[in-house]
Amino acid sequence: MHYIGIDIGSTAAKVSVFEEERLVTNFNMPTGWSSIEASRIILEKLEELKVSKEEARIIATGYGRVSVPYADKTLTEITCHGKGAYYLLGKDCTVIDIGGQDTKIITVENDRVTDFTMNDKCAAGTGRFLELMANSLAINLPELAELSLKGEEISITSMCTVFAESEVISLMGKGTPREDIARGVINSITGRVSTMLYKHGVKGTIYLTGGLCEISPFIELLSEKLDKEVITNPLGRYAGSIGAALMGQ
Amino acid sequence: MRPVIMEEVEALRGLNSVKIKEAHEEGKKVVGMYCMFSPSEIAIAADAIPVSLCGTTQAPIEDAEKELPRNLCPLIKSSYGFAITDKCPYFFFSDVLLAETTCDGKKKMYELMGKIKPMHLMNLPQTSEGDDALESWHKEMIKFKIYLEEVFGIEITDEKLRDAIKLMNRERSAMKRLHKLNAHKPAPLSGMDMMLAQWLKGFNVDKEYGISLIEKLIEELEERIEKGIYAFDENAPRILLTGCPIGAGSEKVLKALEDAGASVVALENCTGYKPLDVVVDEDAEKDPLLALAEKYLSTPCSCMTPNNGRFDLIKRLAEEYDVDGVVDLTWVACHTYAIESFSLKKLVQEELGLPFIQIETDYSDSDTGQVKTRVEAFLETIEVSLATV
């Protein structure tokens, strides 16, 4: 019996496959323009992997969870990220998930979510913000994070993503070094997360999930800002899909 | 299946707007009110009809924003929008308006609204504690009584006030009995229907008819409890909803909760249980205006500081209704409720040991997806914890 978790986020779709208790594979792809299209491609990939949906239990999560017609059940990404993080870390934790459109803080105790906070409906403080700012600087996200380590402390004062973009462009126009701007961009995210985290309250280890967990300079700067160690795991980006698969067991 | 009487209750919406027109044509006076601090009894004693004014739908907000700031609570914008567009029949037929100095947004909006219709403003103390507050609120009751006497050219006797107090107490008691039925496990009435029944009472032109309808609904629900017919199945998580007022058109969080399988059993907001908890002292020896001042001042609204009454009430309701979680709804830019949410979270999680979520939103549909995700995730945390008990 296979247990499959499909986490369709606004930016990326993540899939985890368990064969009974054992995590056998994870893969991801861009969500693209349509969650339905993404879920169709996922099904093809699963067939290539010789995983039959008839002999599997499939749980869909994430913003596109309703677009997986072959899922047995849907659950929110909050529950799944919490479950997945607990599986990866093996103890109580406070999860930070910086997603494409939402940033979440999730408290996980004894393998279950006990509390969570989400950002409001604007893009400030989300992964989308970082991506757009990197675009303005004509670099990608890992490059932005790398660059920021060499930068001087400056601040991007606009919280609004649209205004922040203009601010970045005008800083470039004034000749501010790119590494300083990059540092400012990262600071505005870590600052926002730090405020959310403080208000939410920290229990146990701070654990980062989502795509940003693969960008070590970001984790370094986030730990610095929080003044607490932030732990992650190479599989952190799959926390949602792993958790979804586990919820099916 | 929905109780049969709910259809009659819901029909009040259409009926009341016709009745207010008829009453106006017969020369009956109408006093329009917005807030539960408004002493309807004084208007009734003046032989006038006290009515709630519209303010729970998104539609007139665009018009309101031509004059009001965009970043303002939707309730205030909606109320003002209805007033300037003549789309609220109750506002249209009101002879005078009664306003109170509750939150900053409302009291400044009233300055603009007061230019449209005659308005009397009651100065609400900022605390419900101490003799000074009661004394000043008592004086405000006297001033409102004198205002109505002058503007309508009538006399409001103590006897009329006492009769009005008895009538409103009967309405409160009926509504309270209705609300308490949902303490039963499982609840016989959905939160959506409870909200509608409680909210519609404000627009009731014929109080006696409204009371008899609620009594009929109570009877039907009691029969249903005996037969074991409920609004949700027994495993549905039981939710206490608190925070800002809601009504038809601004029920999205309540609806999202019940669509996701929860049973909203207690509504601790001004459109729910809060104004029903305390009745007015009917002691024949007592000054009826003082009795009214005491009752209305005891309202645990977030515009009061401190506002410990709200926390006490939530503790009591959480226990009485045996709830599994507390949802705090705050409208965008409602500072007093939004700030109080921080303390409420501590109380609910630490003292009551229950899951808690604050949902901040407005009347628009722009965040339906996010609200749904938050609500579903919240219910999942409850279901998982119920399963592990």
Side-chain angles (χ1 to χ4, degrees):
Chain A
M1 181 78 171
H2 285 107
Y3 298 95
I4 300 164
I6 300 178
D7 177 8
I8 303 193
S10 61
T11 313
K14 287 81 61 180
V15 181
S16 299
V17 181
F18 278 74
E19 197 173 335
E20 301 303 337
E21 310 279 283
R22 198 167 56 91
L23 177 59
V24 288
T25 191
N26 299 288
F27 61 89
N28 76 87
M29 53 188 259
T31 300
W33 59 276
S34 155
S35 313
I36 296 175
E37 181 62 13
S39 75
R40 197 186 56 75
I41 298 169
I42 289 168
L43 192 58
E44 282 174 12
K45 278 214 76 167
L46 287 170
E47 277 162 11
E48 278 170 33
L49 291 167
K50 307 266 181 277
V51 177
S52 141
K53 73 171 166 30
E54 279 71 33
E55 281 157 53
R57 191 160 157 77
I58 302 173
I59 310 289
T61 187
Y63 132 100
R65 63 187 176 278
V66 290
S67 310
V68 185
Y70 49 87
D72 295 296
K73 196 180 174 179
T74 60
L75 281 167
T76 64
E77 53 271 36
I78 315 280
T79 301
C80 295
H81 266 275
K83 185 87 182 170
Y86 193 86
Y87 172 86
L88 292 170
L89 184 70
K91 57 180 178 183
D92 288 0
C93 53
T94 300
V95 180
I96 301 173
D97 175 50
I98 302 176
Q101 63 173 8
D102 300 301
T103 293
K104 309 156 197 91
I105 312 282
I106 308 166
T107 307
V108 189
E109 294 169 281
N110 294 322
D111 200 15
R112 61 182 183 86
V113 173
T114 52
D115 192 16
F116 67 91
T117 304
M118 270 169 101
N119 66 307
D120 54 31
K121 60 187 171 185
C122 94
T126 68
R128 173 74 74 230
F129 176 88
L130 278 180
E131 233 170 51
L132 286 169
M133 296 310 126
N135 283 349
S136 311
L137 290 166
I139 49 178
N140 63 29
L141 234 163
E143 286 166 346
L144 176 94
E146 199 59 54
L147 206 58
S148 70
L149 286 181
K150 299 182 210 121
E152 296 285 322
E153 289 284 347
I154 66 159
S155 60
I156 304 290
T157 53
S158 307
M159 242 2 270
C160 171
T161 307
V162 176
F163 292 143
E165 196 171 7
S166 326
E167 198 174 330
V168 164
I169 292 165
S170 84
L171 284 170
M172 283 160 69
K174 274 195 281 184
T176 309
R178 279 208 315 180
E179 48 269 35
D180 294 1
I181 303 176
R183 182 64 177 256
V185 166
I186 298 283
N187 279 349
S188 81
I189 290 284
T190 54
R192 176 94 175 191
V193 169
S194 150
T195 313
M196 264 177 92
L197 192 72
Y198 186 83
K199 195 164 184 184
H200 179 91
V202 178
K203 278 182 187 162
T205 310
I206 300 175
Y207 188 79
L208 182 73
T209 65
L212 285 173
C213 72
E214 286 160 17
I215 302 175
S216 58
F218 178 77
I219 299 161
E220 198 180 305
L221 291 173
L222 182 63
S223 304
E224 206 175 280
K225 181 78 193 179
L226 299 176
D227 202 17
K228 285 194 175 87
E229 195 188 5
V230 176
I231 305 285
T232 189
N233 179 299
L235 288 177
R237 99 163 20 225
Y238 294 101
S241 53
I242 289 172
L246 290 168
M247 291 300 288
Q249 286 182 353
Chain B
M1 221 178 52
R2 204 180 189 199
V4 182
I5 304 296
M6 267 317 292
E7 280 186 27
E8 271 182 71
V9 172
E10 215 168 5
L12 280 172
R13 287 182 81 175
L15 189 69
N16 284 332
S17 49
V18 174
K19 280 197 173 173
I20 197 78
K21 180 171 179 281
E22 287 170 359
H24 173 79
E25 282 162 0
E26 284 164 20
K28 199 87 167 138
K29 298 296 179 199
V30 178
V31 182
M33 304 172 166
Y34 279 106
C35 185
M36 60 163 176
F37 280 107
S38 306
S40 322
E41 288 86 348
I42 300 179
I44 294 174
D47 202 26
I49 301 169
V51 282
S52 292
L53 300 170
C54 312
T56 56
T57 54
Q58 173 72 20
I61 286 182
E62 201 181 321
D63 283 308
E65 285 177 354
K66 289 175 189 162
E67 294 175 37
L68 293 175
R70 196 169 61 86
N71 181 25
L72 183 64
C73 132
L75 197 153
I76 302 173
K77 287 191 289 186
S78 179
S79 304
Y80 189 66
F82 270 117
I84 57 172
T85 56
D86 267 347
K87 280 179 186 151
C88 170
Y90 308 99
F91 187 91
F92 186 82
F93 292 116
S94 285
D95 294 283
V96 295
L97 305 176
L98 175 63
E100 298 92 354
T101 53
T102 49
C103 70
D104 290 351
K106 257 167 129 186
K107 70 187 179 205
K108 297 312 281 186
M109 179 275 278
Y110 285 143
E111 290 175 8
L112 298 175
M113 192 184 257
K115 294 183 175 133
I116 310 173
K117 283 228 182 215
M119 175 186 277
H120 178 78
L121 184 75
M122 291 178 79
N123 267 301
L124 188 68
Q126 296 189 20
T127 178
S128 54
E129 292 181 0
D131 296 341
D132 290 358
L134 183 64
E135 195 184 317
S136 109
W137 191 229
H138 183 201
K139 280 185 188 153
E140 290 296 315
M141 293 284 163
I142 299 168
K143 280 194 249 172
F144 178 51
K145 172 186 166 269
I146 295 171
Y147 172 78
L148 286 187
E149 285 178 328
E150 282 172 0
V151 71
F152 295 154
I154 44 126
E155 192 199 343
I156 300 175
T157 63
D158 280 4
E159 198 192 338
K160 282 191 167 176
L161 279 169
R162 289 201 178 95
D163 287 345
I165 286 171
K166 281 182 192 142
L167 175 67
M168 287 303 293
N169 274 351
R170 276 173 50 221
E171 186 188 74
R172 270 181 207 112
S173 306
M175 287 291 169
K176 191 168 170 171
R177 270 191 290 139
L178 177 69
H179 201 279
K180 296 253 175 189
L181 286 180
N182 270 359
H184 192 277
K185 262 180 118 167
L189 193 63
S190 71
M192 282 291 284
D193 280 342
M194 182 65 80
M195 180 279 288
L196 265 182
Q198 306 274 2
W199 172 75
L200 279 164
K201 78 168 186 295
F203 302 93
N204 268 347
V205 175
D206 183 347
K207 291 274 174 208
E208 290 291 353
Y209 175 68
I211 295 169
S212 71
L213 207 53
I214 293 303
E215 281 170 347
K216 266 161 67 183
L217 181 60
I218 292 171
E219 246 174 70
E220 188 183 350
L221 291 172
E222 281 172 342
E223 279 169 27
R224 286 178 155 236
I225 293 175
E226 266 178 42
K227 289 182 193 152
I229 306 170
Y230 304 109
F232 296 93
D233 75 48
E234 56 187 318
N235 300 321
R238 296 169 65 83
I239 302 297
L240 182 150
L241 180 66
T242 176
C244 296
I246 53 173
S250 62
E251 69 279 76
K252 73 178 185 187
V253 171
L254 171 57
K255 188 168 183 304
L257 280 162
E258 296 205 324
D259 283 352
S263 172
V264 177
V265 292
L267 299 156
E268 186 284 328
N269 48 22
C270 10
T271 39
Y273 185 79
K274 190 181 279 185
L276 312 172
D277 194 41
V278 176
V279 293
V280 186
D281 188 350
E282 291 183 14
D283 184 353
E285 301 297 307
K286 191 170 191 163
D287 168 12
L289 291 176
L290 179 64
L292 286 172
E294 284 171 356
K295 186 259 167 330
Y296 285 97
L297 198 62
S298 74
T299 307
C301 174
S302 68
C303 66
M304 290 291 176
T305 181
N307 184 31
N308 300 320
R310 180 178 176 218
F311 300 132
D312 294 341
L313 183 57
I314 286 172
K315 266 197 266 185
R316 184 146 55 84
L317 292 179
E319 209 166 281
E320 266 177 50
Y321 287 74
D322 196 9
V323 303
D324 300 310
V326 174
V327 176
D328 188 26
L329 166 68
T330 52
W331 295 130
V332 166
C334 177
H335 305 315
T336 55
Y337 273 108
I339 296 168
E340 237 174 64
S341 199
F342 185 75
S343 313
L344 183 61
K345 179 177 178 163
K346 278 198 179 326
L347 171 96
V348 173
Q349 290 182 336
E350 290 165 19
E351 250 184 81
L352 305 179
L354 290 171
F356 172 88
I357 188 177
Q358 178 200 9
I359 295 185
E360 187 188 74
T361 184
D362 57 17
Y363 292 178
S364 75
D365 290 330
S366 63
D367 61 351
T368 311
Q370 281 97 335
V371 166
K372 194 167 180 273
T373 297
R374 281 167 173 76
V375 160
E376 285 176 4
F378 179 64
L379 295 178
E380 283 165 12
T381 67
I382 293 176
E383 274 164 21
V384 175
S385 65
L386 285 178
T388 53
V389 169

